[in-house]
Amino acid sequence: NINQELRQIILVRYYFKLKKEVKMYVVKTRGGYLCANGGATKHLKFATTFDTKRKVEEVAEKWLRSDVSFEAVEKESEEYEQN
């Protein structure tokens, strides 16, 4: 159905537009970026994203050892730095 396909395309475009406007944060440590399994990854596409810096800090403080330093950084700015 053409109407259904058009609606999907519009929704996808809207989703990406929305996603770009929303700032996402990642946990950056010396070893890389924190991903869901608690390990570090140097590749941002696998990093766990959070919508606020407070959530980054809560998760990092809960899961990282106390001697591991971290910072909350914007995912977008970091992606551009790597490319």
Side-chain angles (χ1 to χ4, degrees):
N1 189 334
I2 291 176
N3 282 342
Q4 201 172 4
E5 283 179 30
L6 277 174
R7 202 152 72 232
Q8 281 183 325
I9 290 169
I10 290 166
L11 277 173
V12 167
R13 283 188 182 161
Y14 178 72
Y15 171 76
F16 281 116
K17 184 175 186 284
L18 205 65
K19 204 172 175 190
K20 269 189 172 169
E21 289 169 5
V22 176
K23 284 186 179 165
M24 297 300 285
Y25 298 92
V26 290
V27 179
K28 185 177 185 181
T29 66
R30 205 179 68 198
Y33 302 90
L34 192 69
C35 55
N37 64 9
T41 173
K42 292 192 190 303
H43 302 288
L44 255 167
K45 60 184 172 181
F46 300 118
T48 305
T49 56
F50 303 90
D51 54 2
T52 65
K53 284 190 174 187
R54 178 179 282 175
K55 280 188 186 169
V56 168
E57 287 159 5
E58 282 175 12
V59 170
E61 284 167 10
K62 183 177 179 182
W63 294 106
L64 295 176
R65 294 193 323 261
S66 57
D67 61 330
V68 176
S69 60
F70 70 90
E71 62 177 314
V73 294
E74 279 182 37
K75 185 172 189 277
E76 291 290 315
S77 61
E78 291 298 307
E79 274 177 329
Y80 293 126
E81 279 177 27
Q82 283 195 335
N83 293 337

